[in-house]
RNA sequence: GGAGAGGUGGCUGAGUGGUCGAAAGCGUCGGUUUGCUAAACCGAUGUACGGGUCAAACUGUACCGCGGGUUCGAAUCCCGCCCUCUCCGCCA
């Protein structure tokens, strides 16, 4: 959420930002409701004050008749307070509903545009796009030949969008996790394995909606829990309601979790194979920083994503996400799109990671603050997240880029120690 | 899952209906003393939101795990939930 006061003092800016992001919100209505809310708040406080004074005087009054009279007065004031409070609650709810819809501000350098067509390519990876002297297969065909993924059984056991990894795909998943974690620990990240479920209010704080027809989230019946869509939820939630010291920051976590997504409304799009699935394993980076440090941290996270994929020898490009494609919480976002030779007609880029600076937008909802020595009060931390490795999509990129004419797959050098082999080939 | 105990400020810990935003101690910060250190002594020391101010001072409301309820008045009484600890059961 944005700061209420900030919105009121910068209405035009906020409106323009909503327009840039393709978000339709009635900011004026919000401002009007806020005026009303403030007035009611002042009324309630005034009534409370009077009622408190009356209550205190009762304890001191000795004459029983006098006490009864004041009790009556107190009752009257409390009734009035209650009435105003109800009004206030109603206005607050209305105001909050709009407030929640207002997206974060956007970085001045983020390309302006209402959808991903305006995304701007910023970098390319070190690895050139491979040229095959044969018709490259896609990962589904390769997996079939090498007995690595069982989609059929996934459908039978759980449903469409689920799969079993088998044989070398399992080794690959484990190796990728190890590779990512090793790399990040060396960079000062604290490794974490997180719960795969979280309370709904944590999901909401991070910016997900557990309910509703559009939801990406599986919720567990009869509880207030949902399966997480990303470890961003649990890692961010770890610090909810905490006040940190500025010298503890930045805090850098890398979390391993499973991610669950309903992908509601995604039917009809390219859903073949592992690309869009309901469950996958992901190593996620998450950082809490001071307000001053978050832009630099975003660069660091982006740099680490590049390092990881350069290390894997996967060709990619980095895209600066357009305002309309940022989602609610992000101030700026970079997507890393890996080259996938089996995608589309002659290969296409497909998103494999994404890193965002959410500034204080999530922290305000989750109430994560920090104190600066010598400063009164506290500020909201800035939160950032970034994918290190989303295993399912990384597997696609590896299988398709490293495939050989004979249908085998060369193992990226950095994974060989963990895989214990340098080639994945069909069993004789 | 069952039984019991408990959740109070940065920490320890008092407080069972009124002047309690909350004793005391510790810690922290400032000062006095001191050649330095230590000790002693004096003083200050919660947060959020609002009013006020150039900024302060000052001031209002709320906050004793969370949410409701009773009452003129709740840290204190009642209900629900969450969490922690102990014991039992179950289990990887």
């Amino acid at each position: 959420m944005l700061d209420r006061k900030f919105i009121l003092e910068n209405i035009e800016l906020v409106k323009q930002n909503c327009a840039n992001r393709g978000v339709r919100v009635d900011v004026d209505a919000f401002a009007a409701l806020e005026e009303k809310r403030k007035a009611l708040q002042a009324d309630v406080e005034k009534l409370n004050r009077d009622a408190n004074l009356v209550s205190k005087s009762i304890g001191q009054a000795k004459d029983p008749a006098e006490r009864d009279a004041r009790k009556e007065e107190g009752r009257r004031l409390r009734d009035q307070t209650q009435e105003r409070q109800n009004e206030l609650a109603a206005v607050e709810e209305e105001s909050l509903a709009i407030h929640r819809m207002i997206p974060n501000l956007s970085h001045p350098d983020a390309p302006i545009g209402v959808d991903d067509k305006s995304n701007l390519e910023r970098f390319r990876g070190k690895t050139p796009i491979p040229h095959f002297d044969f018709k490259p297969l896609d990962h589904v065909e390769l997996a079939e030949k090498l007995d690595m993924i069982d989609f059929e059984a996934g459908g039978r056991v759980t449903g469409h969008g689920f799969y079993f990894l088998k044989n070398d795909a399992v080794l690959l998943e484990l190796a990728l996790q190890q590779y990512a974690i090793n790399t990040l620990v060396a960079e000062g990240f604290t490794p974490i394995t997180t719960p795969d479920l979280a309370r709904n209010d944590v999901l909401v704080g991070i910016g997900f909606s557990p309910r509703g027809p559009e939801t990406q989230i599986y919720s567990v019946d009869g509880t207030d829990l949902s399966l997480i869509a990303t470890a961003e939820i649990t890692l961010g939630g770890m610090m909810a309601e905490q006040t940190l010291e500025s010298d503890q920051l930045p805090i850098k976590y890398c979390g391993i979790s499973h991610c669950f997504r309903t992908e509601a409304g995604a039917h009809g799009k390219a859903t073949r194979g592992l690309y869009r699935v309901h469950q996958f394993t992901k190593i996620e980076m998450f950082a809490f920083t001071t307000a001053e440090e978050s832009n630099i941290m975003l660069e660091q996270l982006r740099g680490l994503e590049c390092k990881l994929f350069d290390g894997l020898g996967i060709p990619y490009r980095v895209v600066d996400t357009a305002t309309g494609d940022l989602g609610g919480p992000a101030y700026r976002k970079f997507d890393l799109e890996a080259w996938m030779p089996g995608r589309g007609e002659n290969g296409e880029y497909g998103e494999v990671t994404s890193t965002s600076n959410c500034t204080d937008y999530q922290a305000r909802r989750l109430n994560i603050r920090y104190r600066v020595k010598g400063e009164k009060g506290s500020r909201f931390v800035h939160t950032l997240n970034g994918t290190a490795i989303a295993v399912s999509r990384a597997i696609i990129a590896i299988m398709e880029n490293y495939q050989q004419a004979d249908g085998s797959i060369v193992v990226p050098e950095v994974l060989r120690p963990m895989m214990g082999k340098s080639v994945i080939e069909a069993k004789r």
Side-chain angles (χ1 to χ4, degrees), chain A residues 200-228:
Chain A
N200 288 331
D201 50 345
V202 176
L203 289 259
V204 169
I206 293 290
F208 289 83
S209 338
R211 312 267 180 229
E214 300 268 294
T215 188
Q216 269 275 48
I217 300 295
Y218 289 102
S219 41
V220 180
D221 234 11
T223 72
D224 65 340
L225 295 176
S226 294
L227 293 171
I228 60 173

Side-chain angles (χ1 to χ4, degrees), chain A residues 23 74 84 89 115 213 226 290 317 332 345 419:
Chain A
V23 175
R84 279 306 163 94
D115 60 27
S226 294
T290 61
R317 66 180 184 191
R332 197 177 198 192
E345 282 306 303
M419 288 281 289

Side-chain angles (χ1 to χ4, degrees), chain A residues 67-139:
Chain A
R67 289 171 68 109
D68 284 343
R70 291 195 191 172
K71 280 187 188 180
E72 188 47 50
E73 170 72 358
R75 253 190 294 269
R76 197 180 57 77
L77 284 167
R78 295 290 174 190
D79 285 348
Q80 274 183 40
T81 310
Q82 192 55 52
E83 233 172 86
R84 279 306 163 94
Q85 209 133 40
N86 293 343
E87 282 179 59
L88 176 63
V91 170
E92 231 162 19
E93 195 184 333
E94 227 181 309
S95 160
L96 187 63
I98 302 180
H99 193 178
R100 274 203 235 273
M101 289 168 63
I102 298 175
N104 199 355
L105 298 175
S106 312
H107 191 283
D109 294 343
I112 293 172
V114 292
D115 60 27
D116 59 358
K117 289 189 192 69
S118 305
N119 290 356
L120 212 65
E121 181 177 315
R122 295 283 189 196
F123 309 97
R124 292 258 173 149
K126 290 179 180 164
T127 313
I129 288 174
H131 291 286
F132 299 104
D133 48 13
F134 56 93
K135 169 82 181 146
L137 303 176
D138 80 354
H139 71 283

Side-chain angles (χ1 to χ4, degrees), chain A residues 263-308:
Chain A
E263 300 293 353
H267 292 292
K269 288 193 178 175
T271 53
R272 184 168 159 81
L274 281 183
Y275 192 76
R276 182 165 272 114
V277 286
H278 293 313
Q279 175 181 339
F280 57 96
T281 306
K282 180 157 65 69
I283 294 87
E284 178 81 356
M285 304 180 280
F286 198 96
F288 304 87
T289 75
T290 61
E292 292 76 20
E293 285 176 306
S294 66
N295 282 319
I296 300 162
M297 182 58 72
L298 183 67
E299 274 309 302
Q300 288 179 15
L301 297 186
R302 202 215 81 223
L304 284 166
E305 292 182 347
C306 291
K307 182 176 176 173
L308 286 164

